[in-house]
Amino acid sequence: MNKRVKNLWRLIGKHVDGILISSPENVRYLCGFSGTEGTLLLTRQEGFFLTDGRYTAQAKQQVRDFTPITFKEKWSELGRRIKKLHIKSLGFEARHLTVAFLKELEKQTASIEFKPLAEELDSFRSVKNATEIQLLKKAAAIAADSLAEVLGMIKPGVRELEVAAELEYHMRTKGGSDIAFQTIVASGWRSALPHGVASQKKIKKGDLVTIDYGVVYQGYNSDETCTFVVGKPTAKQKKIYTVVKKAHDLAITFLRAGKSLKDADAKARCHIVKMGYGKYFNHGTGHGVGLNVHETPIVSFRSKETAQKGMVVTIEPGIYLPKWGGVRIEDTVVVTQKGCELITQYDKNLQVIGM
Ligand code: ZN
Ligand code: ZN
């Protein structure tokens, strides 16, 4: 049985005698399959990978450590296997499996107890190994190269969506398989919207432009935010930028293995509060990044986790002043014993563009 499956059983404990893994990210993590139709059925001794006819060839190529099975009818095949394996209580991914899926499965397996697994799985993928960190760095490098290509086109009169489209084009042609999330290009007053996905708005001279963007490389996501000024920055723009940058730097300097993630959030947050902008920083400081662009652990005042070597998280404080605009600066970092190392590489000093 592979190390990751063993780790999964260690996290879940003895409450179940079978586990159904249905989320594409966990399926990929455990067996290497990258398609969209794949389910793993695991007992402590063995495991099966089930897919449909569209993926038989791909499964043969990709799936490690499990025998791929092509089903004709998913529910009956799963039901048959569950019975054959004498599973009495089956754990499932509560945050992924739909009610409809569960109902179908219940029809096939009358006497089985289904146990939702949620918090038990939270820390499952949060510590990354060297290969995963390499893939995350490669994704970040593709993204940063792509951003460098499009900066020259950001000028007054250009629409946010044009910038996003160009950026996405480069991210895909430079090796990315997809974008990690809807690209955010938020300019002027729209930069005060923390999730202002690119719109038809034309960029104007003097606008702050926040670009939050990411790419997927071999399943792994990048996540980075840069905020620029189109033309000469005003004193207020410079001031807000400096406060956010300092908050970002304080959290990054603080973070290392053994430190609480709640305290890392406090490092950034307290600085923004001290400078008088506390109520304009209305989200957590960061989140885990991996096969999902948002995954555990979170870096917020609600965090309970301690940073561990190999955890990959974002640090992304922001200040958003309604109608005026906003600044967010985001880097993805990997926690080490002595501190943390940047995965995203784009320079975060205030950069003037569009001149
Ligand atoms: Zn982001
Ligand atoms: Zn983020």
PDB file of all heavy atoms in Angstrom, residues 325-353:
ATOM      1  N   GLY A 325     -10.531  52.544  -4.179  1.00  0.00           N
ATOM      2  CA  GLY A 325      -9.694  51.500  -4.769  1.00  0.00           C
ATOM      3  C   GLY A 325      -9.026  50.671  -3.689  1.00  0.00           C
ATOM      4  O   GLY A 325      -9.266  50.883  -2.497  1.00  0.00           O
ATOM      5  N   GLY A 326      -8.215  49.741  -4.100  1.00  0.00           N
ATOM      6  CA  GLY A 326      -7.594  48.865  -3.113  1.00  0.00           C
ATOM      7  C   GLY A 326      -6.252  48.338  -3.566  1.00  0.00           C
ATOM      8  O   GLY A 326      -5.873  48.448  -4.738  1.00  0.00           O
ATOM      9  N   VAL A 327      -5.528  47.788  -2.593  1.00  0.00           N
ATOM     10  CA  VAL A 327      -4.219  47.182  -2.850  1.00  0.00           C
ATOM     11  C   VAL A 327      -4.201  45.814  -2.174  1.00  0.00           C
ATOM     12  O   VAL A 327      -4.556  45.708  -0.999  1.00  0.00           O
ATOM     13  CB  VAL A 327      -3.084  48.057  -2.250  1.00  0.00           C
ATOM     14  CG1 VAL A 327      -1.740  47.319  -2.330  1.00  0.00           C
ATOM     15  CG2 VAL A 327      -2.992  49.410  -2.949  1.00  0.00           C
ATOM     16  N   ARG A 328      -3.834  44.796  -2.921  1.00  0.00           N
ATOM     17  CA  ARG A 328      -3.557  43.488  -2.310  1.00  0.00           C
ATOM     18  C   ARG A 328      -2.211  43.022  -2.843  1.00  0.00           C
ATOM     19  O   ARG A 328      -1.900  43.235  -4.026  1.00  0.00           O
ATOM     20  CB  ARG A 328      -4.650  42.457  -2.629  1.00  0.00           C
ATOM     21  CG  ARG A 328      -4.331  41.082  -2.003  1.00  0.00           C
ATOM     22  CD  ARG A 328      -5.475  40.068  -2.032  1.00  0.00           C
ATOM     23  NE  ARG A 328      -5.902  39.688  -3.348  1.00  0.00           N
ATOM     24  CZ  ARG A 328      -6.968  40.185  -3.965  1.00  0.00           C
ATOM     25  NH1 ARG A 328      -7.724  41.088  -3.354  1.00  0.00           N
ATOM     26  NH2 ARG A 328      -7.298  39.793  -5.170  1.00  0.00           N
ATOM     27  N   ILE A 329      -1.421  42.426  -1.964  1.00  0.00           N
ATOM     28  CA  ILE A 329      -0.122  41.878  -2.364  1.00  0.00           C
ATOM     29  C   ILE A 329      -0.091  40.441  -1.874  1.00  0.00           C
ATOM     30  O   ILE A 329      -0.253  40.183  -0.681  1.00  0.00           O
ATOM     31  CB  ILE A 329       1.036  42.693  -1.736  1.00  0.00           C
ATOM     32  CG1 ILE A 329       0.941  44.170  -2.169  1.00  0.00           C
ATOM     33  CG2 ILE A 329       2.380  42.096  -2.129  1.00  0.00           C
ATOM     34  CD1 ILE A 329       1.919  45.094  -1.461  1.00  0.00           C
ATOM     35  N   GLU A 330       0.079  39.518  -2.812  1.00  0.00           N
ATOM     36  CA  GLU A 330      -0.003  38.093  -2.454  1.00  0.00           C
ATOM     37  C   GLU A 330       1.185  37.307  -2.974  1.00  0.00           C
ATOM     38  O   GLU A 330       1.500  37.347  -4.157  1.00  0.00           O
ATOM     39  CB  GLU A 330      -1.282  37.480  -3.052  1.00  0.00           C
ATOM     40  CG  GLU A 330      -1.375  35.968  -2.849  1.00  0.00           C
ATOM     41  CD  GLU A 330      -2.633  35.351  -3.455  1.00  0.00           C
ATOM     42  OE1 GLU A 330      -3.107  35.872  -4.492  1.00  0.00           O
ATOM     43  OE2 GLU A 330      -3.116  34.354  -2.901  1.00  0.00           O
ATOM     44  N   ASP A 331       1.811  36.600  -2.060  1.00  0.00           N
ATOM     45  CA  ASP A 331       2.828  35.624  -2.450  1.00  0.00           C
ATOM     46  C   ASP A 331       2.442  34.264  -1.902  1.00  0.00           C
ATOM     47  O   ASP A 331       1.777  34.161  -0.877  1.00  0.00           O
ATOM     48  CB  ASP A 331       4.199  36.017  -1.883  1.00  0.00           C
ATOM     49  CG  ASP A 331       4.951  36.958  -2.818  1.00  0.00           C
ATOM     50  OD1 ASP A 331       5.024  36.637  -4.024  1.00  0.00           O
ATOM     51  OD2 ASP A 331       5.449  37.993  -2.361  1.00  0.00           O
ATOM     52  N   THR A 332       2.878  33.218  -2.595  1.00  0.00           N
ATOM     53  CA  THR A 332       2.739  31.861  -2.094  1.00  0.00           C
ATOM     54  C   THR A 332       4.109  31.445  -1.569  1.00  0.00           C
ATOM     55  O   THR A 332       5.119  31.676  -2.244  1.00  0.00           O
ATOM     56  CB  THR A 332       2.280  30.915  -3.223  1.00  0.00           C
ATOM     57  OG1 THR A 332       1.026  31.389  -3.732  1.00  0.00           O
ATOM     58  CG2 THR A 332       2.100  29.492  -2.731  1.00  0.00           C
ATOM     59  N   VAL A 333       4.134  30.864  -0.370  1.00  0.00           N
ATOM     60  CA  VAL A 333       5.416  30.503   0.241  1.00  0.00           C
ATOM     61  C   VAL A 333       5.387  29.054   0.729  1.00  0.00           C
ATOM     62  O   VAL A 333       4.317  28.506   0.997  1.00  0.00           O
ATOM     63  CB  VAL A 333       5.755  31.418   1.446  1.00  0.00           C
ATOM     64  CG1 VAL A 333       5.822  32.884   1.039  1.00  0.00           C
ATOM     65  CG2 VAL A 333       4.756  31.241   2.589  1.00  0.00           C
ATOM     66  N   VAL A 334       6.567  28.466   0.841  1.00  0.00           N
ATOM     67  CA  VAL A 334       6.669  27.138   1.470  1.00  0.00           C
ATOM     68  C   VAL A 334       7.383  27.310   2.805  1.00  0.00           C
ATOM     69  O   VAL A 334       8.399  27.991   2.896  1.00  0.00           O
ATOM     70  CB  VAL A 334       7.351  26.103   0.534  1.00  0.00           C
ATOM     71  CG1 VAL A 334       8.716  26.544   0.040  1.00  0.00           C
ATOM     72  CG2 VAL A 334       7.480  24.752   1.246  1.00  0.00           C
ATOM     73  N   VAL A 335       6.789  26.732   3.832  1.00  0.00           N
ATOM     74  CA  VAL A 335       7.338  26.842   5.184  1.00  0.00           C
ATOM     75  C   VAL A 335       8.572  25.943   5.311  1.00  0.00           C
ATOM     76  O   VAL A 335       8.552  24.794   4.860  1.00  0.00           O
ATOM     77  CB  VAL A 335       6.273  26.427   6.231  1.00  0.00           C
ATOM     78  CG1 VAL A 335       6.847  26.439   7.637  1.00  0.00           C
ATOM     79  CG2 VAL A 335       5.048  27.320   6.130  1.00  0.00           C
ATOM     80  N   THR A 336       9.622  26.497   5.888  1.00  0.00           N
ATOM     81  CA  THR A 336      10.831  25.703   6.150  1.00  0.00           C
ATOM     82  C   THR A 336      11.116  25.759   7.652  1.00  0.00           C
ATOM     83  O   THR A 336      10.415  26.434   8.408  1.00  0.00           O
ATOM     84  CB  THR A 336      12.051  26.249   5.372  1.00  0.00           C
ATOM     85  OG1 THR A 336      12.391  27.540   5.906  1.00  0.00           O
ATOM     86  CG2 THR A 336      11.778  26.374   3.887  1.00  0.00           C
ATOM     87  N   GLN A 337      12.159  25.050   8.050  1.00  0.00           N
ATOM     88  CA  GLN A 337      12.534  25.023   9.463  1.00  0.00           C
ATOM     89  C   GLN A 337      12.934  26.415   9.953  1.00  0.00           C
ATOM     90  O   GLN A 337      12.623  26.813  11.059  1.00  0.00           O
ATOM     91  CB  GLN A 337      13.715  24.048   9.612  1.00  0.00           C
ATOM     92  CG  GLN A 337      13.680  23.205  10.859  1.00  0.00           C
ATOM     93  CD  GLN A 337      12.413  22.355  10.985  1.00  0.00           C
ATOM     94  OE1 GLN A 337      11.471  22.735  11.677  1.00  0.00           O
ATOM     95  NE2 GLN A 337      12.386  21.222  10.313  1.00  0.00           N
ATOM     96  N   LYS A 338      13.630  27.154   9.075  1.00  0.00           N
ATOM     97  CA  LYS A 338      14.171  28.444   9.508  1.00  0.00           C
ATOM     98  C   LYS A 338      13.327  29.646   9.121  1.00  0.00           C
ATOM     99  O   LYS A 338      13.597  30.770   9.538  1.00  0.00           O
ATOM    100  CB  LYS A 338      15.564  28.622   8.892  1.00  0.00           C
ATOM    101  CG  LYS A 338      16.591  27.685   9.492  1.00  0.00           C
ATOM    102  CD  LYS A 338      17.967  28.004   8.972  1.00  0.00           C
ATOM    103  CE  LYS A 338      18.981  27.072   9.590  1.00  0.00           C
ATOM    104  NZ  LYS A 338      20.099  26.796   8.688  1.00  0.00           N
ATOM    105  N   GLY A 339      12.354  29.476   8.253  1.00  0.00           N
ATOM    106  CA  GLY A 339      11.561  30.623   7.816  1.00  0.00           C
ATOM    107  C   GLY A 339      10.590  30.178   6.757  1.00  0.00           C
ATOM    108  O   GLY A 339       9.933  29.163   6.890  1.00  0.00           O
ATOM    109  N   CYS A 340      10.511  30.944   5.680  1.00  0.00           N
ATOM    110  CA  CYS A 340       9.755  30.432   4.545  1.00  0.00           C
ATOM    111  C   CYS A 340      10.374  30.935   3.252  1.00  0.00           C
ATOM    112  O   CYS A 340      11.049  31.965   3.224  1.00  0.00           O
ATOM    113  CB  CYS A 340       8.269  30.715   4.657  1.00  0.00           C
ATOM    114  SG  CYS A 340       7.821  32.416   4.820  1.00  0.00           S
ATOM    115  N   GLU A 341      10.157  30.161   2.213  1.00  0.00           N
ATOM    116  CA  GLU A 341      10.775  30.442   0.918  1.00  0.00           C
ATOM    117  C   GLU A 341       9.668  30.831  -0.057  1.00  0.00           C
ATOM    118  O   GLU A 341       8.597  30.207  -0.078  1.00  0.00           O
ATOM    119  CB  GLU A 341      11.463  29.155   0.437  1.00  0.00           C
ATOM    120  CG  GLU A 341      12.307  29.305  -0.791  1.00  0.00           C
ATOM    121  CD  GLU A 341      12.667  27.942  -1.410  1.00  0.00           C
ATOM    122  OE1 GLU A 341      12.591  26.907  -0.719  1.00  0.00           O
ATOM    123  OE2 GLU A 341      12.992  27.930  -2.605  1.00  0.00           O
ATOM    124  N   LEU A 342       9.933  31.859  -0.860  1.00  0.00           N
ATOM    125  CA  LEU A 342       8.923  32.302  -1.820  1.00  0.00           C
ATOM    126  C   LEU A 342       8.788  31.288  -2.959  1.00  0.00           C
ATOM    127  O   LEU A 342       9.790  30.829  -3.510  1.00  0.00           O
ATOM    128  CB  LEU A 342       9.334  33.643  -2.430  1.00  0.00           C
ATOM    129  CG  LEU A 342       9.236  34.882  -1.535  1.00  0.00           C
ATOM    130  CD1 LEU A 342       9.858  36.073  -2.246  1.00  0.00           C
ATOM    131  CD2 LEU A 342       7.782  35.182  -1.175  1.00  0.00           C
ATOM    132  N   ILE A 343       7.553  30.976  -3.290  1.00  0.00           N
ATOM    133  CA  ILE A 343       7.286  30.142  -4.473  1.00  0.00           C
ATOM    134  C   ILE A 343       6.958  31.063  -5.642  1.00  0.00           C
ATOM    135  O   ILE A 343       7.403  30.850  -6.758  1.00  0.00           O
ATOM    136  CB  ILE A 343       6.140  29.154  -4.160  1.00  0.00           C
ATOM    137  CG1 ILE A 343       6.725  28.024  -3.301  1.00  0.00           C
ATOM    138  CG2 ILE A 343       5.500  28.614  -5.436  1.00  0.00           C
ATOM    139  CD1 ILE A 343       5.816  26.879  -3.030  1.00  0.00           C
ATOM    140  N   THR A 344       6.165  32.091  -5.364  1.00  0.00           N
ATOM    141  CA  THR A 344       5.881  33.108  -6.385  1.00  0.00           C
ATOM    142  C   THR A 344       7.038  34.115  -6.369  1.00  0.00           C
ATOM    143  O   THR A 344       7.514  34.494  -5.293  1.00  0.00           O
ATOM    144  CB  THR A 344       4.558  33.821  -6.071  1.00  0.00           C
ATOM    145  OG1 THR A 344       4.481  34.038  -4.670  1.00  0.00           O
ATOM    146  CG2 THR A 344       3.379  32.998  -6.519  1.00  0.00           C
ATOM    147  N   GLN A 345       7.459  34.531  -7.550  1.00  0.00           N
ATOM    148  CA  GLN A 345       8.717  35.272  -7.627  1.00  0.00           C
ATOM    149  C   GLN A 345       8.569  36.715  -8.086  1.00  0.00           C
ATOM    150  O   GLN A 345       9.542  37.455  -8.116  1.00  0.00           O
ATOM    151  CB  GLN A 345       9.671  34.545  -8.598  1.00  0.00           C
ATOM    152  CG  GLN A 345      10.110  33.174  -8.113  1.00  0.00           C
ATOM    153  CD  GLN A 345      11.114  33.254  -6.977  1.00  0.00           C
ATOM    154  OE1 GLN A 345      11.741  34.274  -6.766  1.00  0.00           O
ATOM    155  NE2 GLN A 345      11.244  32.158  -6.227  1.00  0.00           N
ATOM    156  N   TYR A 346       7.358  37.120  -8.473  1.00  0.00           N
ATOM    157  CA  TYR A 346       7.253  38.463  -9.041  1.00  0.00           C
ATOM    158  C   TYR A 346       7.572  39.524  -7.983  1.00  0.00           C
ATOM    159  O   TYR A 346       7.108  39.438  -6.853  1.00  0.00           O
ATOM    160  CB  TYR A 346       5.849  38.686  -9.644  1.00  0.00           C
ATOM    161  CG  TYR A 346       5.921  39.682 -10.744  1.00  0.00           C
ATOM    162  CD1 TYR A 346       6.216  39.286 -12.040  1.00  0.00           C
ATOM    163  CD2 TYR A 346       5.789  41.045 -10.479  1.00  0.00           C
ATOM    164  CE1 TYR A 346       6.353  40.216 -13.052  1.00  0.00           C
ATOM    165  CE2 TYR A 346       5.923  41.972 -11.479  1.00  0.00           C
ATOM    166  CZ  TYR A 346       6.213  41.550 -12.764  1.00  0.00           C
ATOM    167  OH  TYR A 346       6.365  42.474 -13.750  1.00  0.00           O
ATOM    168  N   ASP A 347       8.393  40.507  -8.375  1.00  0.00           N
ATOM    169  CA  ASP A 347       8.817  41.572  -7.452  1.00  0.00           C
ATOM    170  C   ASP A 347       7.593  42.324  -6.917  1.00  0.00           C
ATOM    171  O   ASP A 347       6.747  42.758  -7.687  1.00  0.00           O
ATOM    172  CB  ASP A 347       9.759  42.513  -8.208  1.00  0.00           C
ATOM    173  CG  ASP A 347      10.254  43.649  -7.312  1.00  0.00           C
ATOM    174  OD1 ASP A 347      10.181  43.510  -6.073  1.00  0.00           O
ATOM    175  OD2 ASP A 347      10.711  44.671  -7.864  1.00  0.00           O
ATOM    176  N   LYS A 348       7.537  42.503  -5.596  1.00  0.00           N
ATOM    177  CA  LYS A 348       6.359  43.126  -5.006  1.00  0.00           C
ATOM    178  C   LYS A 348       6.581  44.606  -4.622  1.00  0.00           C
ATOM    179  O   LYS A 348       5.750  45.184  -3.925  1.00  0.00           O
ATOM    180  CB  LYS A 348       5.871  42.325  -3.784  1.00  0.00           C
ATOM    181  CG  LYS A 348       5.454  40.888  -4.111  1.00  0.00           C
ATOM    182  CD  LYS A 348       4.334  40.826  -5.112  1.00  0.00           C
ATOM    183  CE  LYS A 348       3.810  39.443  -5.399  1.00  0.00           C
ATOM    184  NZ  LYS A 348       4.737  38.469  -5.956  1.00  0.00           N
ATOM    185  N   ASN A 349       7.678  45.197  -5.046  1.00  0.00           N
ATOM    186  CA  ASN A 349       7.815  46.633  -4.817  1.00  0.00           C
ATOM    187  C   ASN A 349       6.906  47.386  -5.778  1.00  0.00           C
ATOM    188  O   ASN A 349       6.645  46.894  -6.894  1.00  0.00           O
ATOM    189  CB  ASN A 349       9.276  47.061  -5.005  1.00  0.00           C
ATOM    190  CG  ASN A 349      10.123  46.574  -3.840  1.00  0.00           C
ATOM    191  OD1 ASN A 349       9.788  46.816  -2.676  1.00  0.00           O
ATOM    192  ND2 ASN A 349      11.201  45.860  -4.142  1.00  0.00           N
ATOM    193  N   LEU A 350       6.417  48.554  -5.349  1.00  0.00           N
ATOM    194  CA  LEU A 350       5.449  49.288  -6.167  1.00  0.00           C
ATOM    195  C   LEU A 350       6.013  49.577  -7.559  1.00  0.00           C
ATOM    196  O   LEU A 350       7.090  50.162  -7.684  1.00  0.00           O
ATOM    197  CB  LEU A 350       5.043  50.587  -5.473  1.00  0.00           C
ATOM    198  CG  LEU A 350       4.012  51.451  -6.222  1.00  0.00           C
ATOM    199  CD1 LEU A 350       2.726  50.685  -6.480  1.00  0.00           C
ATOM    200  CD2 LEU A 350       3.714  52.721  -5.452  1.00  0.00           C
ATOM    201  N   GLN A 351       5.276  49.128  -8.553  1.00  0.00           N
ATOM    202  CA  GLN A 351       5.732  49.299  -9.930  1.00  0.00           C
ATOM    203  C   GLN A 351       4.740  50.173 -10.695  1.00  0.00           C
ATOM    204  O   GLN A 351       3.528  49.935 -10.650  1.00  0.00           O
ATOM    205  CB  GLN A 351       5.847  47.918 -10.596  1.00  0.00           C
ATOM    206  CG  GLN A 351       6.679  47.944 -11.855  1.00  0.00           C
ATOM    207  CD  GLN A 351       6.742  46.569 -12.530  1.00  0.00           C
ATOM    208  OE1 GLN A 351       6.534  45.532 -11.898  1.00  0.00           O
ATOM    209  NE2 GLN A 351       7.020  46.562 -13.814  1.00  0.00           N
ATOM    210  N   VAL A 352       5.309  51.165 -11.343  1.00  0.00           N
ATOM    211  CA  VAL A 352       4.484  52.074 -12.149  1.00  0.00           C
ATOM    212  C   VAL A 352       4.469  51.541 -13.585  1.00  0.00           C
ATOM    213  O   VAL A 352       5.514  51.205 -14.132  1.00  0.00           O
ATOM    214  CB  VAL A 352       5.084  53.501 -12.096  1.00  0.00           C
ATOM    215  CG1 VAL A 352       4.387  54.413 -13.075  1.00  0.00           C
ATOM    216  CG2 VAL A 352       4.986  54.047 -10.678  1.00  0.00           C
ATOM    217  N   ILE A 353       3.270  51.443 -14.182  1.00  0.00           N
ATOM    218  CA  ILE A 353       3.170  50.913 -15.555  1.00  0.00           C
ATOM    219  C   ILE A 353       2.346  51.868 -16.415  1.00  0.00           C
ATOM    220  O   ILE A 353       1.773  52.836 -15.923  1.00  0.00           O
ATOM    221  CB  ILE A 353       2.538  49.506 -15.579  1.00  0.00           C
ATOM    222  CG1 ILE A 353       1.167  49.528 -14.862  1.00  0.00           C
ATOM    223  CG2 ILE A 353       3.455  48.484 -14.920  1.00  0.00           C
ATOM    224  CD1 ILE A 353       0.383  48.260 -15.023  1.00  0.00           C
TER     225      ILE A 353
END
